[in-house]
Amino acid sequence: MNFDHETTKLDFVKHRKKFFLISAVLLTVGVILLSTIGLNLGIDFRSGTTMEVLADEPLTAESVESEFESVGLTADDITLAGDNNDVARASFIGVLGQNEVLEAQRHFEELYGNTPTVSSVTPLVGEELARNAIISVLIASVGIVIYVTIRFEFLYGISAIIALFHDALFILTIFSILQMEVNIPFIAAVLTIIGYSINDTIVTFDRIRENMKLEKKVKTFEDVARVVNKSLVQTLARSINTVLTVVFAAGALLIFGGDAIRTFSLALVVGLVAGTYSSLFIAAQIWLVFKGKQVEKKRFDSQVQGNEA
Amino acid sequence: MKKKRGVKKWRIVVFFAIILALAGLIFTNVMDHADDIKLGLDLQGGFEVLYEVHPVNEGQEIDRELLSDTVSAINARIDVLGVSEPNVSIEGDDRVRVQLAGVTDQQGARELLSTEARLSFRDVDDNVLIDGSDLVEGGAGQSFHADTNRPIVTVTGRDANVFGDATEEVLAHPDSRMAIWLDYDEGDSFDEEFGKEDSKIISAPNVSSVLRTTDIMIEGAFTVEEAQDLAGILNAGALPVELEEIYSNAVGASLGERAMDMAIAAGFIGIALIFAYMLVYYRFMGLIAVLTLSVYIYFVLVIFNWMNAVLTLPGIAALILGVGMAVDANIITYERIKDELRTGKSTMSAFKAGSRRSLSTILDANITTILAAGVLFYFGTSAVQGFAVMLITSILVSFVTAVYGARLLLGLWVNSRILNKKPKMFGVKEREISEL
């Protein structure tokens, strides 16, 4: 692969409106979905009851499930534990009523001679964790804008943050569509995506900044567009190679990592691809729109001044 | 003059010396470090409870000191349970998080953790006869009843007369039973609690004569283990506060272990793919990347181990991001060097210019991410904080290995002049090089 910016026919900038449209449509769908059907929140974020059944024989998830069904309960999740899988832990989203609990306890006591342990979990902690994560991300965003404004320029910072929220919302949208369970590791995945998104965007911006300095005069929107496109092409090999290698790692977790981390690794893979997409097609283009306006305004102002003089 | 233009073989010798030294270091103890790293509950099994701390008596204020007293009391109990590697930490203003890996009897452990261990002897009308202050601290033990041979718990009173007076008082009562309470709360009553399953009344023996002794026996429906645990808890001391369970999470041991095995296998496959890709795409420089990435992974393991970090799923996420950023630092530098080679620069000056110009990019990208991680650590809670710590560590290590490590190793080859006029070794084709 060689993306020589002098001879290449690749034009990222020309199609920017299409990319904006694609993202806008997807994110609108996302906002609608999130506010209607929402996310499939796991027990980490909801009131729930867990029931631990101890048996004198090895259990299977299926047998326990049908035993619960015989008393009219549907477990949302059943895991087995104990040395011989003689303990089953069933989770119920939403707190069960007193009668339901009593009936289930009676049923299992007759069956195995042990009264199941029942504990209810408050959703408080999971919610707090999510809220804290969101607040932290918002504060971090302010910090990033300040850092990037000092090192670069305000417009870079604001564009990077827009891309960051684009990626976070993107992954939430996908999970709302797929209705996969959202748990605490999912939050870690979203945070990873945000970290990657910033990293990726900054690398692209760094090249744009460098090329802007090399240009003798950047006076029109077209000048800025040319620099942005050139920078994107120059960093393209790096962007693709980096996302490919990270996706190898996350993809291996998705395929070979087992059920326990499936949600988590899917979120990673989707988010990593979204992060690269947004750096190439959204972040740099948003910056172009902002910078282009600024440049055109300056030109207009100086023309007005020139006419008045 | 001829010597100056020749190949400086000693640099290559130094390169291999460094590689051999690192390889020796890694192969001799990488497995020790990997085995020593503590695994979180999600990867090992066990349970985790978050308690909210409430005052036991009115006027008690929940402050830092009280919280750390609570933590030491809980730690003392965990010793009784014999759990290895417990993790008890204060969270926020009034919470304590307890993580116990590899506990099989989770319900039993939970009961032992949250009991306040305030022992009191009362009459059936709930009047106190003897409370904790009348007993000798650390004077509890487990033994067997001389007649029935059933397990019992013994406690030692400070003064034989205290127990004597108490038994005398009970004898005078029409219902001459002495109720032995654990964690009596204001409002609890004998009539309601006695005979209840999971009762706070351990036992309520009939008193038939006045006993002036300091050796007090507590009989109950104990198994030997239960009696030992109770004695242990009583010796560990009463909790200064009341604990309310507000969150709990339990993972079956086999479940966690299986998850861990699969995640490790997946990690190996992912890293192998990354190595293969780097070698194919960047040729010789890819080899340097493979070497520095191996060193990166080793150092991260060692540092995690030193920090006594607990590896959890969020931690693995941070590690993946760290690997990604280490690879990225290599890729950014190599792409720059290739760019410079394509403009027709010599190998040595392309290497110099490429390294220099990629540094600020890598620096900016890493600092912004560390900034974000720092904020997450400062404002986040538990899982988010763990993620942030891992992320900051991986970024710092990746910066050292992928920037300075790679520069040192590649520099030895480039400056030996052996790679001069061999752009193919860098994945650059002759025809791509523009004439100067």
Side-chain angles (χ1 to χ4, degrees):
Chain A
M1 265 184 280
N2 174 27
F3 303 103
D4 189 345
H5 57 88
E6 300 297 340
T7 54
T8 187
K9 297 254 174 1
L10 283 170
D11 196 343
F12 290 102
V13 174
K14 200 168 88 192
H15 301 291
R16 68 178 179 282
K17 287 190 177 140
K18 287 175 201 160
F19 297 126
F20 287 158
L21 190 69
I22 293 171
S23 284
V25 168
L26 197 87
L27 296 183
T28 313
V29 169
V31 170
I32 293 170
L33 281 177
L34 286 172
S35 52
T36 51
I37 58 172
L39 293 165
N40 174 14
L41 295 178
I43 200 157
D44 292 342
F45 301 106
R46 293 170 77 159
S47 286
T49 301
T50 56
M51 214 179 281
E52 226 171 64
V53 179
L54 176 66
D56 40 14
E57 61 198 74
L59 292 167
T60 62
E62 290 76 30
S63 69
V64 176
E65 199 175 340
S66 63
E67 289 302 335
F68 272 114
E69 271 162 13
S70 73
V71 289
L73 293 175
T74 317
D76 292 285
D77 186 38
I78 293 177
T79 53
L80 299 177
D83 293 337
N84 303 308
N85 279 346
D86 51 0
V87 178
R89 196 167 161 274
S91 317
F92 301 86
I93 291 172
V95 176
L96 296 180
Q98 194 69 30
N99 287 334
E100 291 172 307
V101 170
L102 280 176
E103 197 169 329
Q105 276 185 316
R106 219 173 293 139
H107 180 78
F108 282 101
E109 193 171 358
E110 271 169 32
L111 208 61
Y112 302 119
N114 298 308
T115 315
T117 312
V118 181
S119 59
S120 286
V121 185
T122 64
L124 198 76
V125 180
E127 271 172 20
E128 233 168 78
L129 183 81
R131 196 176 54 227
N132 261 317
I134 293 169
I135 293 170
S136 311
V137 168
L138 291 177
I139 295 170
S141 307
V142 176
I144 291 164
V145 171
I146 294 171
Y147 177 79
V148 175
T149 304
I150 294 167
R151 284 282 294 158
F152 293 67
E153 181 185 312
F154 178 68
L155 292 181
Y156 287 105
I158 203 78
S159 312
I161 297 304
I162 293 175
L164 182 157
F165 283 107
H166 169 274
D167 297 343
L169 191 54
F170 187 93
I171 186 88
L172 288 175
T173 304
I174 298 291
F175 268 69
S176 183
I177 293 171
L178 296 177
Q179 283 293 303
M180 282 184 76
E181 190 181 286
V182 169
N183 47 20
I184 287 174
F186 174 81
I187 291 184
V190 173
L191 295 178
T192 310
I193 299 313
I194 287 172
Y196 181 79
S197 171
I198 301 167
N199 190 63
D200 209 33
T201 308
I202 293 296
V203 171
T204 316
F205 281 178
D206 219 69
R207 190 58 80 100
I208 295 179
R209 176 180 62 170
E210 188 184 317
N211 285 333
M212 286 293 280
K213 276 187 198 150
L214 293 175
E215 291 289 317
K216 292 202 176 56
K217 47 180 186 181
V218 186
K219 285 205 170 136
T220 63
F221 184 87
E222 283 68 34
D223 291 338
V224 187
R226 189 167 36 79
V227 175
V228 169
N229 202 54
K230 180 172 138 188
S231 311
L232 287 177
V233 173
Q234 280 177 344
T235 50
L236 190 58
R238 173 262 155 197
S239 302
I240 293 173
N241 285 344
T242 298
V243 74
L244 268 182
T245 47
V246 190
V247 165
F248 285 156
L253 278 187
L254 176 65
I255 298 167
F256 306 106
D259 293 330
I261 54 175
R262 184 134 300 151
T263 315
F264 166 76
S265 32
L266 181 73
L268 275 184
V269 172
V270 175
L272 291 171
V273 175
T276 304
Y277 163 83
S278 76
S279 312
L280 284 175
F281 302 113
I282 304 292
Q285 330 277 16
I286 287 176
W287 182 82
L288 167 62
V289 172
F290 288 153
K291 188 71 187 177
K293 275 202 183 118
Q294 193 189 54
V295 169
E296 290 286 332
K297 188 169 180 296
K298 216 176 257 168
R299 189 172 63 145
F300 181 74
D301 287 349
S302 61
Q303 269 177 0
V304 172
Q305 270 174 3
N307 290 342
E308 278 170 359
Chain B
M1 279 296 106
K2 198 183 167 197
K3 201 180 171 193
K4 197 184 165 196
R5 308 299 306 166
V7 171
K8 292 180 176 170
K9 286 201 179 105
W10 65 270
R11 287 183 191 270
I12 294 169
V13 173
V14 171
F15 171 86
F16 281 109
I18 293 174
I19 295 301
L20 280 175
L22 284 172
L25 183 70
I26 292 174
F27 283 116
T28 47
N29 67 9
V30 67
M31 287 325 288
D32 296 340
H33 283 292
D35 288 342
D36 278 354
I37 289 181
K38 286 184 210 155
L39 301 176
L41 295 168
D42 45 0
L43 301 175
Q44 187 191 2
F47 81 102
E48 170 183 37
V49 188
L50 184 63
Y51 291 109
E52 199 163 85
V53 175
H54 296 297
V56 176
N57 40 41
E58 269 175 63
Q60 189 182 26
E61 210 177 306
I62 305 290
D63 55 14
R64 204 74 194 165
E65 201 183 327
L66 187 61
L67 283 175
S68 49
D69 286 350
T70 307
V71 169
S72 2
I74 292 175
N75 270 320
R77 278 153 197 235
I78 294 171
D79 283 344
V80 174
L81 288 171
V83 175
S84 61
E85 298 181 6
N87 184 9
V88 184
S89 55
I90 297 173
E91 226 169 70
D93 296 328
D94 60 349
R95 288 183 187 170
V96 175
R97 185 182 292 270
V98 179
Q99 294 173 306
L100 301 179
V103 172
T104 41
D105 178 15
Q106 301 186 347
Q107 201 52 38
R110 241 184 230 179
E111 271 166 26
L112 289 185
L113 280 182
S114 62
T115 172
E116 288 150 45
R118 283 181 297 115
L119 204 58
S120 60
F121 297 71
R122 290 162 194 268
D123 63 20
V124 290
D125 296 327
D126 307 320
N127 301 310
V128 195
L129 304 168
I130 299 173
D131 68 14
S133 59
D134 297 319
L135 302 172
V136 174
E137 267 174 55
Q142 186 265 322
S143 89
F144 295 93
H145 194 285
D147 304 330
T148 59
N149 217 20
R150 289 179 56 117
I152 54 165
V153 176
T154 57
V155 288
T156 316
R158 284 186 198 285
D159 184 352
N161 285 326
V162 174
F163 194 58
D165 293 348
T167 45
E168 206 167 35
E169 216 171 299
V170 172
L171 272 176
H173 200 277
D175 188 352
S176 57
R177 275 189 293 182
M178 183 184 264
I180 303 170
W181 286 79
L182 193 62
D183 296 345
Y184 177 89
D185 278 322
E186 211 62 47
D188 284 340
S189 84
F190 179 82
D191 296 331
E192 269 175 40
E193 199 70 20
F194 188 64
K196 207 161 96 177
E197 201 178 318
D198 238 350
S199 173
K200 286 180 177 178
I201 299 173
I202 303 171
S203 63
N206 264 304
V207 176
S208 50
S209 61
V210 174
L211 297 165
R212 293 217 179 265
T213 172
T214 52
D215 298 321
I216 307 168
M217 284 195 314
I218 303 174
E219 284 176 274
F222 301 127
T223 62
V224 177
E225 213 171 300
E226 280 166 356
Q228 273 171 353
D229 283 347
L230 180 59
I233 293 300
L234 290 175
N235 282 335
L239 264 191
V241 292
E242 194 178 307
L243 296 178
E244 190 200 348
E245 202 175 280
I246 56 170
Y247 170 83
S248 66
N249 176 31
V251 179
S254 53
L255 222 68
E257 211 168 281
R258 210 182 54 174
M260 187 63 211
D261 287 345
M262 292 185 89
I264 287 177
F268 274 118
I269 295 170
I271 288 169
L273 283 171
I274 293 175
F275 282 5
Y277 186 83
M278 293 299 281
L279 282 173
V280 169
Y281 195 88
Y282 291 105
R283 312 289 170 88
F284 183 73
M285 294 192 294
L287 179 68
I288 301 288
V290 167
L291 293 172
T292 54
L293 280 173
S294 307
V295 175
Y296 159 79
I297 293 167
Y298 171 73
F299 279 155
V300 166
L301 286 178
V302 171
I303 290 174
F304 277 14
N305 198 7
W306 279 345
M307 295 196 321
N308 273 325
V310 179
L311 194 61
T312 57
L313 278 182
I316 291 183
L319 262 181
I320 292 178
L321 188 53
V323 172
M325 291 182 68
V327 177
D328 190 41
N330 279 316
I331 290 178
I332 290 172
T333 312
Y334 299 165
E335 283 298 326
R336 276 291 189 173
I337 293 176
K338 283 171 81 172
D339 279 351
E340 302 292 338
L341 282 172
R342 287 193 194 110
T343 63
K345 280 198 178 126
S346 75
T347 308
M348 279 167 80
S349 58
F351 167 71
K352 236 180 183 169
S355 302
R356 185 169 43 81
R357 299 174 77 179
S358 57
L359 185 65
S360 79
T361 310
I362 298 168
L363 214 62
D364 278 329
N366 283 353
I367 289 176
T368 354
T369 315
I370 286 188
L371 193 77
V375 173
L376 287 179
F377 179 77
Y378 193 79
F379 294 99
T381 44
S382 60
V384 175
Q385 277 190 335
F387 172 81
V389 171
M390 297 283 176
L391 186 55
I392 292 173
T393 315
S394 339
I395 293 174
L396 292 177
V397 177
S398 87
F399 190 76
V400 173
T401 56
V403 175
Y404 292 103
R407 198 185 274 193
L408 171 74
L409 292 179
L410 192 56
L412 285 171
W413 281 88
V414 168
N415 292 326
S416 77
R417 300 172 198 276
I418 202 167
L419 295 173
N420 281 358
K421 304 206 167 109
K422 284 173 188 155
K424 261 191 190 156
M425 295 289 274
F426 295 88
V428 175
K429 294 188 186 81
E430 302 269 1
R431 62 172 170 76
E432 290 171 0
I433 299 172
S434 53
E435 300 298 324
L436 271 181

